[in-house]
Amino acid sequence: MRPSNTPLSVAEFQDLFDRLSRWGRYENPDRGAWNLVGPEQAKRGAGAIRSGRVVGMALPWNTVAEVDNPKPALHFMSDLGDVEPGQPTCNKDFIGIDYHGKSCSHLDALAHIAWQGQLFNGNSSAEVVGAGGASFGTVGALGPIVTRGVLLDLPAVRGVDWLEPGEALHAEDLQAAEDFAGVRIEPGDAVLLRCGQFARRRALGPWDSGEASAGIHADAAPWLHERDIAVLGADGDSDVRPSPVPGVHSPIHVLSLTCMGVPLLDNLDLEALSQACREEGQYAFQLTLAPLNIPMGTGCPLNPVAVL
Amino acid sequence: MRPSNTPLSVAEFQDLFDRLSRWGRYENPDRGAWNLVGPEQAKRGAGAIRSGRVVGMALPWNTVAEVDNPKPALHFMSDLGDVEPGQPTCNKDFIGIDYHGKSCSHLDALAHIAWQGQLFNGNSSAEVVGAGGASFGTVGALGPIVTRGVLLDLPAVRGVDWLEPGEALHAEDLQAAEDFAGVRIEPGDAVLLRCGQFARRRALGPWDSGEASAGIHADAAPWLHERDIAVLGADGDSDVRPSPVPGVHSPIHVLSLTCMGVPLLDNLDLEALSQACREEGQYAFQLTLAPLNIPMGTGCPLNPVAVL
Amino acid sequence: MRPSNTPLSVAEFQDLFDRLSRWGRYENPDRGAWNLVGPEQAKRGAGAIRSGRVVGMALPWNTVAEVDNPKPALHFMSDLGDVEPGQPTCNKDFIGIDYHGKSCSHLDALAHIAWQGQLFNGNSSAEVVGAGGASFGTVGALGPIVTRGVLLDLPAVRGVDWLEPGEALHAEDLQAAEDFAGVRIEPGDAVLLRCGQFARRRALGPWDSGEASAGIHADAAPWLHERDIAVLGADGDSDVRPSPVPGVHSPIHVLSLTCMGVPLLDNLDLEALSQACREEGQYAFQLTLAPLNIPMGTGCPLNPVAVL
Amino acid sequence: MRPSNTPLSVAEFQDLFDRLSRWGRYENPDRGAWNLVGPEQAKRGAGAIRSGRVVGMALPWNTVAEVDNPKPALHFMSDLGDVEPGQPTCNKDFIGIDYHGKSCSHLDALAHIAWQGQLFNGNSSAEVVGAGGASFGTVGALGPIVTRGVLLDLPAVRGVDWLEPGEALHAEDLQAAEDFAGVRIEPGDAVLLRCGQFARRRALGPWDSGEASAGIHADAAPWLHERDIAVLGADGDSDVRPSPVPGVHSPIHVLSLTCMGVPLLDNLDLEALSQACREEGQYAFQLTLAPLNIPMGTGCPLNPVAVL
């Protein structure tokens, strides 16, 4: 068995990038791999529904600073029935969040990550993103999708509670999880990768998941490319940390978002989904992604919803 | 034909409230009418899917003050590739919003509205809502639901582009729209009410929709009660404005949220949904609501998603 | 008498800029004209104190959208004695503001305004300001100053309640006000210009002061240059609007901040100061500016304090 | 020598409270001890000026979560010259902060602290503070003051770099520092207490100053009462921590704000002031406090300014 987190040189990484690139593939590059998802995929998703069991995946809005939450979310009450006059009285609240990072379940749109200054399809980040937001690769351009989701449940495959931080997943690991799921991932499907991060966090407490987390090794990207997925989600942020590529802190972010145009879902709580899949005996389900409509946003907090 | 917006006295309103009350009905009152939605309703929703056409309903995040947007949303870039060091570079953003009001598509949880100091099921607003947020009737308690949605498309019924602000809808209007939809609303269904507000806004510009908007008259609440719906959404905020009940600014909010425990969806952009329903020849669809998981929140911005 | 707001061509404006430039003058260009203020100027300020009367100049924090407040300030309570446990109980609040604009009394540091891409002293705005903030010309670099302030009280000079929006002030107007003040402005002094904007606003209600406000014509900049002031404040934002220079929306901002390195104070409430000066018979006073210490900020809200 | 942090029972504390109370003393109780500061005190402040040396005291705006900064300040750029069209281009920023706590130099107005539900002068906190803010004891009511400040420089008295966290200061310690300062504190003066907290932090790194910090023991409150000061500031938050009074987390906050009506200044950086006082040979100076004008605020971030 080879060591989990084998280094990959920047040259090898760049070669992977060039080989897997989906630049120029889509008429509407703003939406990247979401171009693969249309009515047929929505119906394939619905076709996976058996029991009607519904599972959300959003972590709780976390307003408390912790080692894995250095930019706490804001939540303030703007009315407690004492501001707007008359009857009825209203309770109202303000929310705010700098949502990219390790603590909020969120979607990364294609505007989020630039490799050597370029976003997906070769758009110059400096040209299409400014103080007012992004004009390419936005969450507003993505809009909602409904497709089939498949859970790759690594701890379930291995019969453990969680993978240890730092463990890197290769093509054979993903393949084993697909086999375990008993479903062949098809173009336009969503892949959700569970490493058990929040089972571990609940048991052992928070750690700096930016320093160490289980996730996908860059060398597994061709497997994802071959499956031609529409979106990749994880209970971490898909990238194994520390990174196997020297000087490249998030190679899977680059290969997924920038190279292949595949949006990411970070920091999903997949514990309830794992339990539901096990109990229902199915690892495929309808997945609905309903991002906020932020015209110039690089992503947004969201709550992915599975129906089994 | 009776005048549209006939006054209703506070005594009559209170009588309606008492008659329609669902207090004490649910073992888990936190979720109110979402208790009506389980796996069977999710499957009924999925059963409405024909073409696989997907439609979102969230208005764009509006950062510009307007007559109907006095509390503009915030959207700031927190990284433009020049803050977090190394490669890849990241574009990141902060979003913030005081989302209740007339400009953001959002969900009202049961903690939002108190009648005479009481939330749904008799909970004292002063006791269960404080500066830290709510401990009853929260959006976190609601979680996601999947059910069948039915569009009541009033302008389509009448062959007009929109209803004029101030027009009040009575039971017979809702009935006509249900007949037009060709589907009988069942317990646990979601009802979405289109008055054409955003068609009008796009054509004529914004107006103060807090002062005048088409919506449901309190006297139609028994019709909603009889249908036993799980959630009510609208392109306005469901209430006709000005209010027909003197001194009660939002009677439908009270009857829906506080009396019947039915969460609301405000400020939905239903124009694309209306077009899709017309083109697909169906006014029922799968509806997924995927609210943010804010444990102490009174609601949240969200993007309802229909699959036809 | 020449018309108030005579046009000035861009070429003439650029010529003014070149003629008045203070680029290269200061060893520490970050602080621009605040280099002129040291212990001697602080003592000169203190020397102006007679009665000990203290006057602040900050407008109230305005959380309500209005025609002259399109980006309302935020103010939320984060604790009402019910969040932090134990005794005593605490009331706490969050404040937030995008303070540049027309509604908040604030300081413009040298990082705020770039002419043809350049900040004061020729620094490239694109190079020294990014998503993380500014590294040149910041409010943190300015720090507090104490100096002598002189009120140029135009309505008092003319015996009117206020100047009408759009009225442009030329060198002879400033000279008349200095004569009226009975004090010769010296290098390192602060000049505060009252046009009566908030007297007018209180009497007649708000208007779009970005469209029309009384202020200084670019042709008066040489007068300010000759006086060699450290800071220029106004009840508007010092610029007459509409601008007399075609295509240059804020010529005084450019000439003051970018060309001469003179920080600005915008939207000061000078009504109480005017009354105090009149009553005390003195138009010079000690002025203390105590900006927030925001290391990468382009300015900040503040409350200038005069002691007469 | 008695142990530094001798326990004080709640009964003894309540007795102190009753004995030192200034309730009913002021015609305008909103401003508490700032009623003691008028033109004469401003002139006394100015009279302390010798060299004209100006010193600010605000800590840098801290946007990074740390053990003593669990609610990081926000600072986002809202324009980088690419949002507002035309020339000149503008750099603009948004700031936000939940400023009470241990990381931001700020003013506590009388609305901040309630003892057994009551603010200064017996106002019920629940009645005068709500979601919209406070209507008694606000920073807006305080406004700016100019008075004489006296630095009680404990490390200088003792010839050490800083006091250790947890060290409690009694009347004799304050007396020794007043003697060292060589000036008799008079009614309406401001007292600034230096324990060397930020010298220690710069040398040793941050610690949880809410758990342990040097500060005043409740038994020294009569000394402050006798001096009849207008405001008390410190490089910590004036309270020794842990608290000597069981179950009362901030006894000096209660005795100062709630009992005596003396506003507090928390988290001041007094290192530069200490150096200036030592070098100039004077521990009294003019002090200007220029709070933001937040009509319903319980305090605000600010930058106190001394002139020596």
Side-chain angles (χ1 to χ4, degrees):
Chain A
M1 189 181 162
R2 62 174 165 174
S4 152
N5 204 347
T6 32
L8 194 76
S9 74
V10 175
E12 289 169 308
F13 174 74
Q14 182 65 55
D15 184 61
L16 256 181
F17 187 105
D18 296 340
R19 197 146 53 82
L20 304 181
S21 167
R22 298 289 199 194
W23 291 15
R25 185 194 202 191
Y26 302 113
E27 212 172 321
N28 178 2
D30 238 8
R31 305 186 73 237
W34 289 25
N35 284 290
L36 303 172
V37 184
E40 290 316 308
Q41 287 68 32
K43 285 196 281 188
R44 188 164 75 215
I49 298 175
R50 303 243 170 79
S51 65
R53 183 167 174 174
V54 173
V55 186
M57 307 174 204
L59 289 171
W61 201 252
N62 189 352
T63 60
V64 177
E66 297 182 280
V67 63
D68 57 354
N69 190 25
K71 301 181 295 182
L74 305 180
H75 183 212
F76 302 119
M77 299 303 298
S78 57
D79 194 344
L80 287 166
D82 53 358
V83 174
E84 187 177 325
Q87 280 287 332
T89 53
C90 303
N91 298 304
K92 299 180 183 174
D93 37 4
F94 171 92
I95 57 169
I97 194 163
D98 192 355
Y99 58 89
H100 287 295
K102 307 295 173 201
S103 63
C104 171
S105 302
H106 68 265
L107 169 67
D108 290 345
L110 302 184
H112 176 46
I113 292 288
W115 172 243
Q116 307 297 352
Q118 289 182 302
L119 301 174
F120 179 64
N121 227 44
N123 284 277
S124 156
S125 181
E127 280 172 24
V128 301
V129 191
S135 58
F136 170 82
T138 67
V139 66
L142 286 179
I145 60 166
V146 179
T147 190
R148 188 175 67 165
V150 176
L151 179 67
L152 299 185
D153 192 339
L154 271 295
V157 173
R158 301 187 185 175
V160 297
D161 289 333
W162 57 73
L163 306 191
E164 282 304 317
E167 165 130 25
L169 301 170
H170 303 282
E172 57 266 33
D173 300 301
L174 303 182
Q175 185 59 56
E178 189 190 34
D179 294 343
F180 179 89
V183 59
R184 171 76 185 188
I185 295 162
E186 296 188 42
D189 278 353
V191 165
L192 303 183
L193 176 78
R194 177 175 173 258
C195 296
Q197 176 155 322
F198 294 103
R200 188 178 193 277
R201 191 184 193 276
R202 275 156 210 154
L204 304 182
W207 72 96
D208 185 345
S209 52
E211 291 297 310
S213 57
I216 301 175
H217 193 284
D219 63 20
W223 189 91
L224 295 166
H225 183 267
E226 192 188 5
R227 291 300 180 276
D228 213 6
I229 60 175
V231 59
L232 173 65
D235 48 5
D237 65 4
S238 290
D239 260 296
V240 63
R241 300 184 185 279
S243 166
V245 187
V248 180
H249 59 74
S250 306
I252 289 295
H253 273 63
V254 176
L255 294 173
S256 187
L257 288 161
T258 317
C259 163
M260 298 195 285
V262 174
L264 294 175
L265 305 169
D266 293 349
N267 312 318
L268 303 183
D269 183 348
L270 298 175
E271 296 309 302
L273 181 61
S274 171
Q275 182 179 346
C277 287
R278 189 173 62 247
E279 291 174 3
E280 305 295 337
Q282 65 177 107
Y283 284 82
F285 38 82
Q286 187 196 38
L287 180 71
T288 299
L289 301 180
L292 299 176
N293 183 5
I294 306 178
M296 303 187 78
T298 72
C300 69
L302 91 174
N303 193 351
V305 175
V307 190
L308 278 73
Chain B
M1 190 181 162
R2 63 174 166 174
S4 149
N5 204 347
T6 33
L8 195 76
S9 74
V10 174
E12 290 169 306
F13 174 73
Q14 182 65 55
D15 184 61
L16 256 181
F17 187 105
D18 296 340
R19 196 144 55 80
L20 303 182
S21 169
R22 298 288 200 194
W23 291 14
R25 184 193 203 191
Y26 302 113
E27 211 172 322
N28 178 3
D30 237 8
R31 306 185 73 237
W34 289 24
N35 285 290
L36 302 172
V37 184
E40 290 315 308
Q41 287 68 33
K43 285 196 281 187
R44 188 164 75 215
I49 297 175
R50 305 244 168 80
S51 66
R53 184 166 173 174
V54 173
V55 186
M57 305 175 206
L59 289 170
W61 200 253
N62 189 351
T63 60
V64 177
E66 297 181 281
V67 63
D68 57 355
N69 190 26
K71 301 181 295 182
L74 305 179
H75 183 213
F76 301 119
M77 298 304 298
S78 57
D79 194 344
L80 286 166
D82 53 357
V83 174
E84 186 177 325
Q87 278 290 328
T89 54
C90 304
N91 298 304
K92 300 180 182 173
D93 36 5
F94 171 91
I95 58 169
I97 194 164
D98 191 355
Y99 58 89
H100 288 296
K102 308 295 173 201
S103 64
C104 171
S105 302
H106 68 266
L107 169 67
D108 290 344
L110 302 184
H112 175 46
I113 293 288
W115 173 244
Q116 309 297 352
Q118 289 182 301
L119 302 174
F120 179 64
N121 228 43
N123 285 276
S124 156
S125 181
E127 282 173 23
V128 301
V129 191
S135 58
F136 169 82
T138 66
V139 66
L142 286 178
I145 60 166
V146 179
T147 189
R148 188 176 67 164
V150 176
L151 179 67
L152 300 184
D153 192 338
L154 271 294
V157 173
R158 302 187 184 175
V160 297
D161 288 334
W162 56 73
L163 305 191
E164 281 303 318
E167 166 132 22
L169 301 169
H170 303 282
E172 57 266 32
D173 300 302
L174 303 182
Q175 185 60 57
E178 189 191 34
D179 294 344
F180 179 89
V183 59
R184 171 76 186 187
I185 296 163
E186 297 188 40
D189 277 354
V191 165
L192 303 184
L193 175 78
R194 178 175 173 258
C195 296
Q197 177 156 322
F198 294 103
R200 188 178 193 276
R201 192 184 193 275
R202 274 154 210 156
L204 304 182
W207 72 96
D208 185 346
S209 52
E211 291 297 310
S213 57
I216 301 174
H217 193 285
D219 64 19
W223 189 91
L224 294 167
H225 182 267
E226 192 188 4
R227 291 299 180 276
D228 213 5
I229 60 175
V231 59
L232 173 64
D235 48 4
D237 65 5
S238 291
D239 261 295
V240 64
R241 299 181 187 281
S243 166
V245 188
V248 180
H249 60 72
S250 305
I252 290 294
H253 273 64
V254 176
L255 293 173
S256 187
L257 288 162
T258 317
C259 163
M260 298 195 285
V262 174
L264 294 174
L265 305 169
D266 293 349
N267 312 317
L268 304 182
D269 184 348
L270 299 175
E271 296 310 302
L273 180 62
S274 171
Q275 183 180 345
C277 288
R278 189 172 62 248
E279 290 174 2
E280 304 295 339
Q282 65 177 108
Y283 284 82
F285 37 82
Q286 187 196 39
L287 180 71
T288 300
L289 301 180
L292 299 177
N293 182 6
I294 307 178
M296 303 188 77
T298 72
C300 69
L302 92 174
N303 192 351
V305 175
V307 190
L308 279 73
Chain C
M1 189 181 160
R2 62 175 167 175
S4 150
N5 203 347
T6 32
L8 195 77
S9 74
V10 175
E12 289 169 309
F13 174 74
Q14 182 66 55
D15 184 62
L16 257 181
F17 187 104
D18 296 340
R19 197 145 53 83
L20 304 181
S21 169
R22 299 289 199 193
W23 293 13
R25 185 194 202 191
Y26 302 114
E27 210 173 322
N28 178 3
D30 239 9
R31 305 186 73 236
W34 288 25
N35 284 290
L36 302 173
V37 184
E40 290 315 309
Q41 287 68 33
K43 285 196 279 188
R44 188 164 74 215
I49 297 175
R50 304 243 170 81
S51 65
R53 184 167 174 174
V54 173
V55 185
M57 305 174 205
L59 289 170
W61 200 251
N62 190 353
T63 61
V64 177
E66 297 182 279
V67 64
D68 58 354
N69 189 24
K71 302 182 296 183
L74 305 179
H75 183 212
F76 302 120
M77 298 303 299
S78 57
D79 194 344
L80 286 166
D82 53 358
V83 174
E84 187 178 324
Q87 279 290 329
T89 54
C90 304
N91 298 304
K92 300 180 183 174
D93 37 4
F94 172 91
I95 58 169
I97 194 162
D98 192 354
Y99 58 89
H100 287 296
K102 306 293 174 204
S103 62
C104 170
S105 302
H106 67 266
L107 170 67
D108 291 345
L110 301 184
H112 176 46
I113 293 287
W115 173 245
Q116 307 297 354
Q118 289 183 301
L119 301 175
F120 179 65
N121 227 44
N123 285 275
S124 157
S125 182
E127 281 172 23
V128 301
V129 191
S135 59
F136 170 81
T138 67
V139 65
L142 286 179
I145 59 166
V146 178
T147 189
R148 188 176 67 164
V150 176
L151 179 67
L152 299 184
D153 192 339
L154 271 294
V157 173
R158 299 186 186 176
V160 298
D161 289 334
W162 56 73
L163 305 192
E164 282 303 316
E167 166 131 24
L169 300 170
H170 304 280
E172 57 266 34
D173 301 301
L174 303 182
Q175 185 60 56
E178 190 191 34
D179 293 343
F180 178 89
V183 57
R184 172 75 186 190
I185 297 161
E186 296 188 42
D189 277 352
V191 165
L192 304 183
L193 176 77
R194 177 174 173 258
C195 296
Q197 177 156 321
F198 294 103
R200 189 178 192 277
R201 191 184 193 274
R202 273 153 211 157
L204 304 182
W207 71 96
D208 185 346
S209 51
E211 292 297 311
S213 57
I216 301 174
H217 194 286
D219 64 19
W223 190 91
L224 294 167
H225 183 268
E226 192 188 4
R227 291 299 180 275
D228 213 4
I229 60 176
V231 59
L232 173 64
D235 48 5
D237 66 3
S238 291
D239 261 296
V240 63
R241 300 185 184 278
S243 166
V245 187
V248 180
H249 59 72
S250 307
I252 290 294
H253 274 63
V254 176
L255 293 174
S256 187
L257 287 161
T258 317
C259 163
M260 298 194 286
V262 174
L264 294 175
L265 305 168
D266 292 348
N267 313 316
L268 304 183
D269 183 348
L270 298 176
E271 295 310 302
L273 181 61
S274 171
Q275 183 179 346
C277 287
R278 191 174 60 249
E279 291 174 2
E280 305 295 338
Q282 64 176 109
Y283 284 81
F285 37 82
Q286 187 197 38
L287 180 72
T288 300
L289 301 180
L292 299 176
N293 183 4
I294 306 178
M296 302 187 79
T298 72
C300 70
L302 90 172
N303 193 352
V305 175
V307 189
L308 278 72
Chain D
M1 190 180 161
R2 63 176 166 173
S4 149
N5 203 346
T6 32
L8 194 75
S9 75
V10 175
E12 289 169 307
F13 174 73
Q14 182 66 55
D15 183 61
L16 256 182
F17 187 104
D18 297 340
R19 196 145 53 83
L20 303 182
S21 169
R22 299 288 200 193
W23 292 15
R25 184 192 202 192
Y26 302 113
E27 211 173 323
N28 179 2
D30 238 9
R31 305 185 74 237
W34 289 24
N35 284 290
L36 302 173
V37 184
E40 290 314 309
Q41 287 68 32
K43 285 195 280 188
R44 188 165 72 215
I49 298 175
R50 305 245 169 79
S51 66
R53 184 166 173 174
V54 173
V55 185
M57 306 174 204
L59 289 170
W61 200 253
N62 189 352
T63 61
V64 178
E66 297 181 280
V67 64
D68 57 355
N69 190 25
K71 302 182 295 183
L74 306 179
H75 183 212
F76 302 120
M77 298 304 297
S78 57
D79 194 344
L80 286 166
D82 53 358
V83 174
E84 186 177 326
Q87 279 289 330
T89 54
C90 304
N91 297 304
K92 300 180 183 173
D93 36 5
F94 171 90
I95 57 168
I97 194 163
D98 192 354
Y99 57 89
H100 288 295
K102 307 293 174 206
S103 62
C104 171
S105 303
H106 68 265
L107 169 66
D108 292 344
L110 302 184
H112 175 46
I113 293 287
W115 172 244
Q116 307 296 353
Q118 289 182 300
L119 301 174
F120 179 64
N121 227 44
N123 285 276
S124 156
S125 181
E127 282 172 23
V128 302
V129 191
S135 58
F136 171 81
T138 67
V139 66
L142 286 179
I145 59 167
V146 178
T147 189
R148 188 177 67 165
V150 176
L151 179 68
L152 299 184
D153 192 340
L154 270 295
V157 173
R158 300 187 186 176
V160 297
D161 288 333
W162 55 73
L163 306 191
E164 280 305 316
E167 165 131 24
L169 301 170
H170 303 282
E172 58 266 33
D173 300 302
L174 304 182
Q175 184 60 57
E178 190 190 34
D179 294 344
F180 179 88
V183 58
R184 171 78 186 188
I185 296 162
E186 296 189 41
D189 276 354
V191 165
L192 304 183
L193 176 77
R194 177 174 174 258
C195 296
Q197 176 154 324
F198 294 103
R200 188 178 192 275
R201 190 183 194 276
R202 274 154 211 154
L204 305 182
W207 72 96
D208 185 345
S209 52
E211 291 297 311
S213 56
I216 301 175
H217 193 286
D219 63 19
W223 189 91
L224 294 167
H225 182 269
E226 191 187 5
R227 291 298 181 276
D228 213 5
I229 61 175
V231 58
L232 174 64
D235 49 5
D237 64 6
S238 290
D239 261 296
V240 64
R241 302 183 183 280
S243 167
V245 187
V248 180
H249 59 72
S250 306
I252 289 295
H253 273 64
V254 176
L255 293 174
S256 186
L257 288 161
T258 317
C259 163
M260 298 194 284
V262 174
L264 294 174
L265 305 169
D266 293 348
N267 312 317
L268 304 182
D269 184 348
L270 299 176
E271 295 310 303
L273 182 61
S274 171
Q275 183 179 347
C277 286
R278 188 173 61 249
E279 290 174 1
E280 305 295 337
Q282 65 177 110
Y283 284 81
F285 38 81
Q286 187 196 38
L287 179 71
T288 300
L289 302 179
L292 299 176
N293 182 5
I294 306 178
M296 304 187 78
T298 72
C300 70
L302 91 173
N303 193 349
V305 175
V307 189
L308 279 73

